[in-house]
Amino acid sequence: MQAMIFAAGLGTRLKPLTDTKPKALVTVKSEPLIGHLMKKLKQSGCKRVVVNVHHFAEMLKTYLAEHNCDMEVAVSDESDQLLDTGGGLRHAAHLLPADEPFLVHNVDIMSNLSFDALMRAHDSSSLATLVVSPRKTSRYLLFDADNRLVGWTNIQTGEVKSPYDNLDVNACRMLAFAGIQAISPRTLQLMNEWPEKFSIIDFYLHMAAKEKIMAFVPDNFKMMDIGKLDTLAQADAFVDTL
């Protein structure tokens, strides 16, 4: 297995901690977020990891050089411009496998997910398999009865995005994205015509009527988004439950 870690974000929700370090190096139980994730990837049999960097890029590069968990680590440098998730993935395409699916994981997500289970569930005929759950949030991905992506909605504003006209939101499964996904390498080729900076979710919504983007709902799933100060305060106790 190979993986990419999205670690380039500014971490504005974690200020003032991220005034002096990248979000990836914010600690939970005395271990940087990226250290927790690297160790889990290693335990799952991952051989190679690509990490994108931007905010305090050199600090994160130094950490990765000293803490590679006995895996090959490649850096996709976005120091000149933060490219968002879709742009960041495409920018790293030359570092990613061209012949097998790979895992993509946000650095600020901690969970009990089995990476092996996700990769087994991913069908190479799909562009991506997205880890989702019924947890409460304001923004949901919308899936049909076959667990295929058909849209997105913000339940606070009522906004809906979908390639399908007159989509019946109430007939869809509303599931929250966990920031973890398995991606087929063909996806990178389809991104070639997109602008330099774009959201991977916008890309999926554009492609959803033509290509399969599937949901994966793990059993007994527990996750925490550590990207905010209020959740960071609860993170030490959460790690003990994993």
Side-chain angles (χ1 to χ4, degrees):
M1 181 175 69
Q2 297 190 43
M4 179 171 182
I5 300 174
F6 284 146
L10 299 175
T12 53
R13 296 179 300 163
L14 284 172
K15 282 180 169 288
L17 297 176
T18 49
D19 288 338
T20 56
K21 67 177 72 173
K23 174 171 59 176
L25 295 185
V26 170
T27 58
V28 172
K29 298 203 78 169
S30 303
E31 176 91 41
L33 288 172
I34 197 164
H36 285 282
L37 181 51
M38 293 278 285
K39 288 179 178 177
K40 183 172 180 178
L41 286 167
K42 174 64 176 179
Q43 291 167 0
S44 299
C46 187
K47 304 296 185 184
R48 187 170 187 275
V49 182
V50 176
V51 182
N52 69 343
V53 300
H54 172 80
H55 188 54
F56 290 102
E58 293 305 317
M59 190 181 296
L60 185 49
K61 288 180 186 179
T62 297
Y63 176 86
L64 291 168
E66 298 173 351
H67 303 82
N68 62 13
C69 294
D70 294 322
M71 295 182 291
E72 181 184 349
V73 178
V75 171
S76 179
D77 198 327
E78 297 179 27
S79 295
D80 292 340
Q81 180 186 9
L82 191 60
L83 299 174
D84 207 338
T85 48
L89 182 64
R90 190 181 65 179
H91 186 70
H94 66 291
L95 301 171
L96 294 165
D99 56 355
E100 64 179 85
F102 53 91
L103 177 79
V104 176
H105 200 299
N106 292 3
V107 76
D108 53 4
I109 298 296
M110 302 186 81
S111 79
N112 65 345
L113 177 72
S114 164
F115 295 157
D116 290 338
L118 170 61
M119 300 310 291
R120 287 195 303 269
H122 177 68
D123 184 335
S124 59
S125 67
S126 303
L127 288 189
T129 300
L130 314 181
V131 178
V132 290
S133 73
R135 65 186 172 89
K136 292 184 178 180
T137 184
S138 59
R139 293 170 292 181
Y140 290 94
L141 294 176
L142 304 174
F143 296 88
D144 65 16
D146 295 320
N147 284 334
R148 181 169 172 167
L149 181 70
V150 292
W152 171 96
T153 188
N154 183 325
I155 60 172
Q156 290 185 340
T157 65
E159 181 183 8
V160 175
K161 297 179 182 179
S162 174
Y164 300 100
D165 294 334
N166 303 314
L167 179 71
D168 184 358
V169 173
N170 293 323
C172 299
R173 297 187 71 190
M174 299 175 61
L175 297 166
F177 182 42
I180 311 169
Q181 53 196 307
I183 296 180
S184 293
R186 188 166 59 88
T187 302
L188 301 172
Q189 301 169 9
L190 294 172
M191 289 179 168
N192 285 337
E193 302 304 317
W194 280 65
E196 189 174 17
K197 180 178 180 178
F198 63 96
S199 160
I200 198 167
I201 295 299
D202 287 345
F203 169 78
Y204 289 152
L205 292 170
H206 177 80
M207 299 301 300
K210 309 170 190 175
E211 300 279 353
K212 290 191 298 181
I213 297 102
M214 305 300 294
F216 178 65
V217 186
D219 294 331
N220 304 311
F221 184 52
K222 295 189 292 185
M223 66 153 283
M224 179 176 281
D225 178 350
I226 317 293
K228 299 180 289 184
L229 284 175
D230 58 344
T231 52
L232 180 63
Q234 306 165 34
D236 284 3
F238 178 77
V239 169
D240 288 336
T241 71
L242 299 179

